[in-house]
Amino acid sequence: MIWELVYKIFVDVLTIWKPYTFSSPVEVLNTLIGLIKDNTLFIAIITSLKRLVIGYVISILIGVAIGLIIVKYKYIDENLSPLILGFQTIPSVCWIPFAILWYGINENTILFVTVIGSIFSIAISTESGIKNVNPIYIKAAKTMGAGGRKLYFDVIIPAAMPQIVSGMKQGWSFAWRALMAGEMLSGTKGLGQVLMAGRDLGDISQVMAVMIVIVAFGLVFDKLLFGKIEQNVRYKCGLENKN
């Protein structure tokens, strides 16, 4: 309702905005229905989700491994942590020229950008989560005979899981952004390509329709996947009551 009211005031009444620069919700809905009917949206969603899942799984494996290595070795921690933090501040779109030069314009390019977009946030969260484990847990475990790998995998990592999961959740959002950037600039199939097609055709309704789809998927995954995982982990750690 607010969207339609803004459209009526600024486009129809005051004529400050042009219809081709700001679309009404009815026009966006019609465009969305059109994209669904010709299977354009379905194909784009399947393609993007496939890339996202593969890239995200790879970024989790590498990111968690990097975080564990940083915590394990002090020398690596002192020299690699600032570098990773610096890489995290680089926008994902900056990696696209490297990806195109290394892999060409293909699936590997988009996959690389997706992985590089989320890997550093996961590594930083893993490192931070382990470093911030309550020392009392470690001391108590040692007094009961735990040590080495048993201490690490049975006490430290489970205690750090709430922050690690939060990092994975953040990494998912970064992976989404990186994926869209890769698809928009590489011109391959996917939601990013449909978004760019709308821009090239001057169809603001299509641009806004794809943006709504991206937001919707982000909310769905946050509530149905990460929300449940985060709640379960926090409950097991005694940080939240089970509803």
Side-chain angles (χ1 to χ4, degrees), residues 39-207:
N39 284 331
T40 299
L41 189 62
F42 177 75
I43 295 172
I45 289 173
I46 295 299
T47 304
S48 293
L49 285 180
K50 178 183 176 181
R51 292 167 177 162
L52 182 64
V53 170
I54 295 174
Y56 182 64
V57 169
I58 294 174
S59 65
I60 286 179
L61 296 176
I62 300 177
V64 171
I66 291 174
L68 295 176
I69 291 172
I70 289 174
V71 174
K72 182 70 174 178
Y73 301 101
K74 185 177 180 181
Y75 177 81
I76 296 178
D77 181 15
E78 293 175 348
N79 293 276
L80 191 60
S81 291
L83 187 62
I84 290 178
L85 183 60
F87 281 146
Q88 173 60 24
T89 62
I90 299 176
S92 302
V93 70
C94 294
W95 294 101
I96 293 178
F98 288 97
I100 292 175
L101 289 173
W102 293 339
Y103 302 107
I105 301 178
N106 52 41
E107 288 293 313
N108 292 332
T109 301
I110 301 175
L111 190 62
F112 172 80
V113 174
T114 304
V115 171
I116 209 73
S118 60
I119 189 173
F120 300 119
S121 64
I122 296 174
I124 291 172
S125 297
T126 303
E127 173 200 359
S128 179
I130 294 175
K131 285 184 177 179
N132 291 322
V133 171
N134 195 328
I136 294 177
Y137 298 159
I138 300 175
K139 292 178 182 179
K142 287 182 177 179
T143 58
M144 290 185 285
R149 292 184 178 180
K150 190 171 183 63
L151 175 65
Y152 210 71
F153 289 101
D154 292 349
V155 179
I156 296 177
I157 292 181
M161 278 306 294
Q163 190 160 346
I164 294 175
V165 170
S166 296
M168 292 179 178
K169 181 179 177 181
Q170 188 180 41
W172 174 266
S173 64
F174 284 135
W176 252 125
R177 298 178 189 178
L179 176 64
M180 291 301 106
E183 289 182 345
M184 287 170 66
L185 296 180
S186 65
T188 58
K189 291 182 180 179
L191 288 172
Q193 188 271 335
V194 178
L195 189 67
M196 286 298 291
R199 188 209 68 171
D200 295 338
L201 296 172
D203 188 352
I204 190 65
S205 297
Q206 181 166 316
V207 173

